[in-house]
Amino acid sequence: QGGKGPAPSFVGGRLTTNPNSFPGFTYGYFEFSVAFPNAGPGMFPALWFYATPGANTKSGKGRAEIDLLEFLGASDRFETTVVYAKPGDAHGEPAGVKVGHWPGFIDGKFHSYGMDWTADHIDFYFDRRLMYSAPASAVAWFRGVSLSPVMDYVIDAPWMTSNVNLQANASTPDPLKMVVKAVRLYDRKPF
């Protein structure tokens, strides 16, 4: 997990795109089809988008991030967050703004998690049903940004050490799983 010291009792993995073969995207409908067969304390799977390396540096948006799904050490809900500089922030430092949360579906069945992104909206979908939309300030900030997708699953992320309720314990299944059936990008929402 990138930390120094003894090897953690759990390890995770991350899948990112190669900018040479997938140079990122600006606008479209992006969808992950994923199943979570089990859950437990310490889990931190995420489906998210980060600023495509080197693509947004001139605009000052090199730390742009949209977290479509994050289970933050619990399985009762997942959260969606946009990370951007809010209007009036003199330093332009990105800040996470929670868009919403949705009940967790840790049932072993495949569900789709999607983001419909245009110059006018950023909408988030679960099983192709609209869950919530990003605030207008985020939509404006993300205009023209290039994003790349990431799928990862971390156990006991370093920031979880400050909250014992989020950390893995004897009840945490071993292994925790995220099964990915498909990752799709469409020019526009297909439904």
Side-chain angles (χ1 to χ4, degrees):
Q1 299 184 93
K4 294 180 180 179
S9 57
F10 290 94
V11 294
R14 173 179 283 188
L15 183 61
T16 61
T17 56
N18 180 339
N20 295 325
S21 57
F22 183 78
F25 72 104
T26 301
Y27 309 135
Y29 182 79
F30 205 102
E31 184 174 77
F32 299 93
S33 179
V34 180
F36 295 97
N38 58 12
M43 68 184 290
F44 183 36
L47 305 172
W48 55 290
F49 307 94
Y50 69 102
T52 302
N56 305 302
T57 52
K58 290 182 182 177
S59 66
K61 299 179 181 181
R63 291 178 48 206
E65 180 179 326
I66 297 176
D67 303 321
L68 174 58
L69 170 146
E70 291 182 305
F71 281 105
L72 305 174
S75 61
D76 61 340
R77 70 174 195 236
F78 67 85
E79 298 186 0
T80 302
T81 305
V82 291
V83 181
Y84 67 104
K86 295 181 203 172
D89 182 349
H91 303 290
E93 285 297 316
V97 176
K98 295 241 183 288
V99 177
H101 62 271
W102 199 256
F105 288 86
I106 311 291
D107 57 8
K109 297 177 184 174
F110 285 97
H111 296 284
S112 65
Y113 304 88
M115 178 180 74
D116 184 35
W117 177 29
T118 71
D120 299 319
H121 68 262
I122 304 173
D123 294 336
F124 300 97
Y125 289 81
F126 172 75
D127 285 342
R128 295 193 168 183
R129 290 177 309 189
L130 179 64
M131 294 184 302
Y132 26 70
S133 301
S137 58
V139 174
W141 192 88
F142 276 92
R143 281 192 187 114
V145 169
S146 177
L147 296 175
S148 294
V150 179
M151 297 179 290
D152 62 6
Y153 205 133
V154 175
I155 311 302
D156 281 347
W159 57 265
M160 290 179 172
T161 58
S162 63
N163 186 337
V164 70
N165 297 320
L166 297 179
Q167 297 172 21
N169 60 37
S171 70
T172 303
D174 183 10
L176 285 165
K177 294 182 180 179
M178 175 173 74
V179 182
V180 179
K181 181 179 8 179
V183 178
R184 296 183 177 97
L185 173 61
Y186 302 89
D187 288 338
R188 62 185 54 87
K189 190 173 67 172
F191 53 94

